[in-house]
Amino acid sequence: MLFDEKLAWEKPCGGGLTFKAYNQYPFLIDNATPKRLVTETVLGAPRAGEVTLKLSDPLLIYSRFDLNRMLLERAERAGAQIEKTRVTGCRGSAPDGSSVRVPGRLTPIFALWQRGRAIRSAK
């Protein structure tokens, strides 16, 4: 189960990804989702002028809506059940005894997640 109160939504800060992120998870760059590749940036300060920096490793910029939608669709294709709801509490610390509270029910947690991957599942 994947619980998310808003699912895919837009927000001003966008979805910027570093080379380290898309190098470790190539699906973040190798996809059909619209994105901008930033290869240079300008730094400036009052009374100091500006300097243009060429980036050896480009940044990826997604609209936050598109990035969230892509990640949710990927999770769904991998078998996640997605529910638009707010998690209002969490109880326990082990996969076999933990649960999250969502409106109207308590839902068991069946896997322990670390850095985006399941490291142990409850039987």
Side-chain angles (χ1 to χ4, degrees), residues 55-102:
L55 303 175
S56 57
D57 298 315
L59 297 172
L60 287 179
I61 306 293
Y62 287 93
S63 94
R64 191 64 194 187
F65 176 86
D66 288 341
L67 178 60
N68 285 359
R69 185 183 61 214
M70 176 185 65
L71 294 173
L72 289 167
E73 288 171 353
R74 182 177 167 87
E76 197 167 39
R77 284 192 308 272
Q81 295 175 23
I82 298 172
E83 186 172 331
K84 184 177 181 180
T85 190
R86 180 182 194 140
V87 173
T88 58
C90 187
R91 181 178 74 190
S93 61
D96 56 354
S98 298
S99 60
V100 293
R101 181 169 299 285
V102 296

Short mmCIF file of all heavy atoms in Angstrom, two decimals, residues 55-102:
data_model
loop_
_atom_site.label_atom_id
_atom_site.label_comp_id
_atom_site.label_asym_id
_atom_site.label_seq_id
_atom_site.Cartn_x
_atom_site.Cartn_y
_atom_site.Cartn_z
N LEU A 55 28.01 23.00 -16.14
CA LEU A 55 27.90 21.85 -15.24
C LEU A 55 28.46 20.60 -15.92
O LEU A 55 28.03 20.26 -17.01
CB LEU A 55 26.45 21.63 -14.83
CG LEU A 55 25.76 22.83 -14.17
CD1 LEU A 55 24.30 22.52 -13.92
CD2 LEU A 55 26.46 23.20 -12.88
N SER A 56 29.41 19.94 -15.28
CA SER A 56 29.94 18.70 -15.87
C SER A 56 28.88 17.60 -15.83
O SER A 56 28.87 16.72 -16.69
CB SER A 56 31.21 18.26 -15.14
OG SER A 56 30.95 18.09 -13.76
N ASP A 57 28.01 17.63 -14.84
CA ASP A 57 26.91 16.68 -14.73
C ASP A 57 25.61 17.48 -14.68
O ASP A 57 25.34 18.17 -13.70
CB ASP A 57 27.04 15.84 -13.46
CG ASP A 57 28.31 15.00 -13.45
OD1 ASP A 57 28.60 14.39 -14.49
OD2 ASP A 57 28.99 14.97 -12.42
N PRO A 58 24.80 17.42 -15.75
CA PRO A 58 23.59 18.24 -15.81
C PRO A 58 22.61 17.93 -14.68
O PRO A 58 22.62 16.85 -14.09
CB PRO A 58 22.97 17.85 -17.16
CG PRO A 58 24.06 17.23 -17.94
CD PRO A 58 24.99 16.61 -16.94
N LEU A 59 21.77 18.90 -14.39
CA LEU A 59 20.64 18.74 -13.49
C LEU A 59 19.41 18.44 -14.32
O LEU A 59 19.29 18.92 -15.45
CB LEU A 59 20.39 20.01 -12.69
CG LEU A 59 21.50 20.47 -11.75
CD1 LEU A 59 21.17 21.85 -11.20
CD2 LEU A 59 21.70 19.47 -10.64
N LEU A 60 18.49 17.65 -13.78
CA LEU A 60 17.20 17.41 -14.42
C LEU A 60 16.15 18.20 -13.67
O LEU A 60 16.15 18.20 -12.44
CB LEU A 60 16.80 15.93 -14.34
CG LEU A 60 17.52 14.94 -15.20
CD1 LEU A 60 16.99 13.54 -14.93
CD2 LEU A 60 17.35 15.28 -16.66
N ILE A 61 15.27 18.86 -14.41
CA ILE A 61 14.19 19.61 -13.79
C ILE A 61 12.86 19.10 -14.37
O ILE A 61 12.64 19.15 -15.58
CB ILE A 61 14.29 21.13 -14.03
CG1 ILE A 61 15.66 21.66 -13.61
CG2 ILE A 61 13.16 21.86 -13.32
CD1 ILE A 61 15.96 21.62 -12.14
N TYR A 62 12.02 18.58 -13.49
CA TYR A 62 10.67 18.14 -13.84
C TYR A 62 9.67 19.08 -13.20
O TYR A 62 9.96 19.67 -12.16
CB TYR A 62 10.38 16.76 -13.23
CG TYR A 62 11.06 15.59 -13.88
CD1 TYR A 62 12.28 15.13 -13.41
CD2 TYR A 62 10.46 14.92 -14.93
CE1 TYR A 62 12.90 14.03 -13.98
CE2 TYR A 62 11.07 13.81 -15.51
CZ TYR A 62 12.28 13.38 -15.03
OH TYR A 62 12.88 12.29 -15.59
N SER A 63 8.49 19.17 -13.78
CA SER A 63 7.40 19.76 -13.01
C SER A 63 7.14 18.75 -11.89
O SER A 63 7.28 17.54 -12.08
CB SER A 63 6.14 19.97 -13.86
OG SER A 63 5.26 18.89 -13.76
N ARG A 64 6.81 19.25 -10.73
CA ARG A 64 6.59 18.34 -9.59
C ARG A 64 5.43 17.39 -9.87
O ARG A 64 5.46 16.23 -9.49
CB ARG A 64 6.36 19.16 -8.33
CG ARG A 64 6.40 18.36 -7.08
CD ARG A 64 7.78 17.78 -6.91
NE ARG A 64 7.73 16.74 -5.90
CZ ARG A 64 8.79 16.14 -5.43
NH1 ARG A 64 9.97 16.46 -5.88
NH2 ARG A 64 8.68 15.22 -4.53
N PHE A 65 4.41 17.89 -10.55
CA PHE A 65 3.27 17.05 -10.91
C PHE A 65 3.72 15.88 -11.78
O PHE A 65 3.37 14.73 -11.52
CB PHE A 65 2.21 17.88 -11.64
CG PHE A 65 1.04 17.06 -12.12
CD1 PHE A 65 -0.02 16.80 -11.28
CD2 PHE A 65 1.02 16.55 -13.42
CE1 PHE A 65 -1.09 16.03 -11.72
CE2 PHE A 65 -0.04 15.79 -13.86
CZ PHE A 65 -1.10 15.52 -13.00
N ASP A 66 4.51 16.17 -12.82
CA ASP A 66 4.97 15.11 -13.73
C ASP A 66 5.88 14.11 -13.02
O ASP A 66 5.78 12.90 -13.24
CB ASP A 66 5.71 15.72 -14.92
CG ASP A 66 4.80 16.44 -15.89
OD1 ASP A 66 3.58 16.19 -15.87
OD2 ASP A 66 5.31 17.26 -16.68
N LEU A 67 6.79 14.60 -12.16
CA LEU A 67 7.69 13.70 -11.44
C LEU A 67 6.90 12.80 -10.50
O LEU A 67 7.10 11.58 -10.48
CB LEU A 67 8.73 14.51 -10.66
CG LEU A 67 9.71 13.70 -9.81
CD1 LEU A 67 10.53 12.74 -10.66
CD2 LEU A 67 10.62 14.64 -9.02
N ASN A 68 5.99 13.38 -9.71
CA ASN A 68 5.18 12.57 -8.79
C ASN A 68 4.35 11.55 -9.56
O ASN A 68 4.25 10.38 -9.16
CB ASN A 68 4.27 13.46 -7.95
CG ASN A 68 5.02 14.18 -6.86
OD1 ASN A 68 6.23 14.03 -6.70
ND2 ASN A 68 4.31 14.99 -6.11
N ARG A 69 3.73 11.98 -10.66
CA ARG A 69 2.90 11.07 -11.45
C ARG A 69 3.73 9.90 -11.98
O ARG A 69 3.33 8.74 -11.91
CB ARG A 69 2.20 11.81 -12.59
CG ARG A 69 1.23 10.90 -13.35
CD ARG A 69 0.60 11.58 -14.52
NE ARG A 69 1.67 11.96 -15.44
CZ ARG A 69 1.65 13.05 -16.18
NH1 ARG A 69 0.63 13.88 -16.13
NH2 ARG A 69 2.64 13.32 -17.00
N MET A 70 4.93 10.21 -12.50
CA MET A 70 5.81 9.16 -13.02
C MET A 70 6.16 8.15 -11.92
O MET A 70 6.11 6.94 -12.13
CB MET A 70 7.09 9.76 -13.60
CG MET A 70 8.09 8.70 -14.07
SD MET A 70 9.68 9.37 -14.62
CE MET A 70 10.34 10.07 -13.13
N LEU A 71 6.50 8.64 -10.73
CA LEU A 71 6.89 7.75 -9.63
C LEU A 71 5.71 6.92 -9.14
O LEU A 71 5.86 5.72 -8.85
CB LEU A 71 7.49 8.56 -8.49
CG LEU A 71 8.82 9.25 -8.81
CD1 LEU A 71 9.24 10.16 -7.67
CD2 LEU A 71 9.91 8.24 -9.13
N LEU A 72 4.53 7.52 -9.07
CA LEU A 72 3.33 6.78 -8.66
C LEU A 72 2.96 5.71 -9.68
O LEU A 72 2.62 4.57 -9.31
CB LEU A 72 2.16 7.74 -8.44
CG LEU A 72 2.26 8.63 -7.20
CD1 LEU A 72 1.22 9.74 -7.26
CD2 LEU A 72 2.13 7.81 -5.93
N GLU A 73 3.03 6.03 -10.96
CA GLU A 73 2.72 5.05 -12.00
C GLU A 73 3.72 3.90 -11.97
O GLU A 73 3.36 2.74 -12.14
CB GLU A 73 2.71 5.71 -13.37
CG GLU A 73 1.51 6.60 -13.59
CD GLU A 73 1.58 7.43 -14.87
OE1 GLU A 73 2.63 7.42 -15.55
OE2 GLU A 73 0.57 8.11 -15.17
N ARG A 74 4.99 4.21 -11.72
CA ARG A 74 6.02 3.16 -11.63
C ARG A 74 5.73 2.24 -10.43
O ARG A 74 5.84 1.03 -10.53
CB ARG A 74 7.39 3.81 -11.51
CG ARG A 74 8.53 2.84 -11.45
CD ARG A 74 9.86 3.59 -11.41
NE ARG A 74 10.95 2.72 -11.05
CZ ARG A 74 11.64 1.99 -11.90
NH1 ARG A 74 11.35 2.02 -13.18
NH2 ARG A 74 12.62 1.22 -11.47
N ALA A 75 5.37 2.83 -9.31
CA ALA A 75 5.04 2.04 -8.12
C ALA A 75 3.83 1.14 -8.38
O ALA A 75 3.83 -0.03 -8.01
CB ALA A 75 4.78 2.96 -6.92
N GLU A 76 2.83 1.68 -9.06
CA GLU A 76 1.63 0.90 -9.37
C GLU A 76 1.95 -0.27 -10.31
O GLU A 76 1.48 -1.39 -10.10
CB GLU A 76 0.57 1.82 -9.98
CG GLU A 76 -0.81 1.23 -9.96
CD GLU A 76 -1.85 2.28 -10.27
OE1 GLU A 76 -1.62 3.15 -11.14
OE2 GLU A 76 -2.92 2.22 -9.63
N ARG A 77 2.79 -0.02 -11.33
CA ARG A 77 3.19 -1.10 -12.24
C ARG A 77 3.97 -2.18 -11.50
O ARG A 77 3.92 -3.35 -11.87
CB ARG A 77 4.03 -0.55 -13.39
CG ARG A 77 3.24 0.16 -14.45
CD ARG A 77 4.05 0.43 -15.71
NE ARG A 77 5.31 1.09 -15.48
CZ ARG A 77 5.51 2.40 -15.41
NH1 ARG A 77 4.47 3.21 -15.54
NH2 ARG A 77 6.70 2.90 -15.20
N ALA A 78 4.67 -1.80 -10.43
CA ALA A 78 5.45 -2.76 -9.64
C ALA A 78 4.57 -3.50 -8.63
O ALA A 78 5.06 -4.36 -7.91
CB ALA A 78 6.59 -2.05 -8.92
N GLY A 79 3.28 -3.16 -8.58
CA GLY A 79 2.37 -3.89 -7.71
C GLY A 79 1.86 -3.13 -6.49
O GLY A 79 1.08 -3.68 -5.72
N ALA A 80 2.27 -1.88 -6.31
CA ALA A 80 1.78 -1.11 -5.16
C ALA A 80 0.31 -0.77 -5.35
O ALA A 80 -0.13 -0.48 -6.46
CB ALA A 80 2.59 0.18 -5.00
N GLN A 81 -0.44 -0.84 -4.28
CA GLN A 81 -1.82 -0.36 -4.27
C GLN A 81 -1.76 1.07 -3.75
O GLN A 81 -1.28 1.31 -2.65
CB GLN A 81 -2.68 -1.22 -3.36
CG GLN A 81 -2.82 -2.64 -3.84
CD GLN A 81 -3.59 -3.48 -2.84
OE1 GLN A 81 -4.35 -2.98 -2.03
NE2 GLN A 81 -3.38 -4.78 -2.90
N ILE A 82 -2.24 2.00 -4.54
CA ILE A 82 -2.13 3.41 -4.20
C ILE A 82 -3.47 3.91 -3.68
O ILE A 82 -4.51 3.67 -4.29
CB ILE A 82 -1.67 4.23 -5.41
CG1 ILE A 82 -0.27 3.76 -5.83
CG2 ILE A 82 -1.67 5.72 -5.10
CD1 ILE A 82 0.23 4.33 -7.12
N GLU A 83 -3.42 4.59 -2.55
CA GLU A 83 -4.63 5.12 -1.96
C GLU A 83 -4.42 6.59 -1.61
O GLU A 83 -3.45 6.95 -0.93
CB GLU A 83 -4.98 4.34 -0.69
CG GLU A 83 -6.30 4.74 -0.10
CD GLU A 83 -6.73 3.83 1.04
OE1 GLU A 83 -6.36 2.65 1.04
OE2 GLU A 83 -7.43 4.33 1.93
N LYS A 84 -5.34 7.43 -2.09
CA LYS A 84 -5.26 8.86 -1.79
C LYS A 84 -5.90 9.08 -0.42
O LYS A 84 -7.12 9.16 -0.29
CB LYS A 84 -5.98 9.68 -2.85
CG LYS A 84 -5.85 11.17 -2.63
CD LYS A 84 -6.50 11.97 -3.73
CE LYS A 84 -6.32 13.45 -3.44
NZ LYS A 84 -6.93 14.27 -4.47
N THR A 85 -5.06 9.15 0.59
CA THR A 85 -5.52 9.38 1.95
C THR A 85 -4.36 9.90 2.79
O THR A 85 -3.21 9.80 2.39
CB THR A 85 -6.10 8.08 2.57
OG1 THR A 85 -6.74 8.41 3.81
CG2 THR A 85 -5.03 7.04 2.83
N ARG A 86 -4.69 10.42 3.92
CA ARG A 86 -3.69 10.98 4.83
C ARG A 86 -3.36 9.96 5.92
O ARG A 86 -4.26 9.39 6.52
CB ARG A 86 -4.23 12.25 5.46
CG ARG A 86 -3.28 12.89 6.41
CD ARG A 86 -3.89 14.13 7.06
NE ARG A 86 -2.83 14.87 7.68
CZ ARG A 86 -2.74 16.18 7.66
NH1 ARG A 86 -3.65 16.89 7.05
NH2 ARG A 86 -1.74 16.78 8.26
N VAL A 87 -2.07 9.74 6.16
CA VAL A 87 -1.64 8.91 7.29
C VAL A 87 -1.71 9.81 8.52
O VAL A 87 -1.11 10.88 8.56
CB VAL A 87 -0.21 8.37 7.08
CG1 VAL A 87 0.29 7.65 8.32
CG2 VAL A 87 -0.17 7.43 5.88
N THR A 88 -2.48 9.37 9.51
CA THR A 88 -2.68 10.20 10.71
C THR A 88 -1.94 9.67 11.92
O THR A 88 -2.00 10.26 12.98
CB THR A 88 -4.18 10.31 11.03
OG1 THR A 88 -4.71 8.99 11.23
CG2 THR A 88 -4.93 11.01 9.91
N GLY A 89 -1.25 8.54 11.77
CA GLY A 89 -0.48 8.00 12.89
C GLY A 89 0.32 6.79 12.46
O GLY A 89 0.10 6.22 11.40
N CYS A 90 1.27 6.41 13.29
CA CYS A 90 2.11 5.25 13.03
C CYS A 90 2.41 4.59 14.35
O CYS A 90 2.65 5.26 15.36
CB CYS A 90 3.39 5.72 12.34
SG CYS A 90 4.43 4.37 11.79
N ARG A 91 2.40 3.26 14.38
CA ARG A 91 2.63 2.53 15.62
C ARG A 91 3.57 1.37 15.34
O ARG A 91 3.45 0.69 14.33
CB ARG A 91 1.30 2.00 16.15
CG ARG A 91 1.42 1.25 17.45
CD ARG A 91 0.08 0.80 17.95
NE ARG A 91 -0.35 -0.32 17.10
CZ ARG A 91 -1.56 -0.83 17.13
NH1 ARG A 91 -2.48 -0.33 17.90
NH2 ARG A 91 -1.87 -1.86 16.37
N GLY A 92 4.50 1.11 16.26
CA GLY A 92 5.40 -0.03 16.15
C GLY A 92 6.69 0.33 15.45
O GLY A 92 6.85 1.41 14.91
N SER A 93 7.63 -0.63 15.47
CA SER A 93 8.92 -0.38 14.84
C SER A 93 9.43 -1.58 14.05
O SER A 93 10.48 -1.51 13.45
CB SER A 93 9.96 0.01 15.90
OG SER A 93 10.11 -1.05 16.83
N ALA A 94 8.71 -2.68 14.04
CA ALA A 94 9.13 -3.87 13.30
C ALA A 94 8.09 -4.19 12.24
O ALA A 94 6.91 -3.97 12.45
CB ALA A 94 9.30 -5.05 14.25
N PRO A 95 8.53 -4.73 11.10
CA PRO A 95 7.57 -5.03 10.02
C PRO A 95 6.44 -5.96 10.44
O PRO A 95 5.33 -5.84 9.93
CB PRO A 95 8.43 -5.70 8.94
CG PRO A 95 9.81 -5.23 9.22
CD PRO A 95 9.89 -5.04 10.71
N ASP A 96 6.67 -6.86 11.39
CA ASP A 96 5.61 -7.79 11.77
C ASP A 96 4.67 -7.21 12.82
O ASP A 96 3.69 -7.84 13.18
CB ASP A 96 6.20 -9.11 12.25
CG ASP A 96 7.18 -8.93 13.41
OD1 ASP A 96 7.48 -7.78 13.77
OD2 ASP A 96 7.62 -9.95 13.94
N GLY A 97 4.93 -6.00 13.32
CA GLY A 97 4.06 -5.44 14.33
C GLY A 97 3.75 -3.98 14.14
O GLY A 97 3.22 -3.34 15.02
N SER A 98 4.08 -3.43 13.00
CA SER A 98 3.86 -2.00 12.76
C SER A 98 2.56 -1.78 12.01
O SER A 98 2.07 -2.65 11.31
CB SER A 98 5.01 -1.41 11.95
OG SER A 98 6.22 -1.53 12.65
N SER A 99 2.02 -0.58 12.17
CA SER A 99 0.82 -0.23 11.43
C SER A 99 0.77 1.29 11.28
O SER A 99 1.44 2.02 11.99
CB SER A 99 -0.44 -0.72 12.15
OG SER A 99 -0.52 -0.13 13.44
N VAL A 100 -0.01 1.72 10.31
CA VAL A 100 -0.27 3.15 10.13
C VAL A 100 -1.76 3.38 10.27
O VAL A 100 -2.56 2.50 9.94
CB VAL A 100 0.23 3.69 8.76
CG1 VAL A 100 1.74 3.65 8.68
CG2 VAL A 100 -0.40 2.96 7.60
N ARG A 101 -2.12 4.53 10.78
CA ARG A 101 -3.53 4.88 10.91
C ARG A 101 -3.91 5.82 9.78
O ARG A 101 -3.24 6.82 9.55
CB ARG A 101 -3.81 5.55 12.25
CG ARG A 101 -5.28 5.91 12.44
CD ARG A 101 -5.61 6.33 13.84
NE ARG A 101 -5.35 5.29 14.82
CZ ARG A 101 -6.10 4.20 15.03
NH1 ARG A 101 -7.15 3.99 14.28
NH2 ARG A 101 -5.80 3.32 15.95
N VAL A 102 -4.95 5.43 9.07
CA VAL A 102 -5.54 6.29 8.05
C VAL A 102 -7.00 6.45 8.46
O VAL A 102 -7.49 5.67 9.27
CB VAL A 102 -5.39 5.69 6.62
CG1 VAL A 102 -3.93 5.60 6.22
CG2 VAL A 102 -6.06 4.35 6.50
#
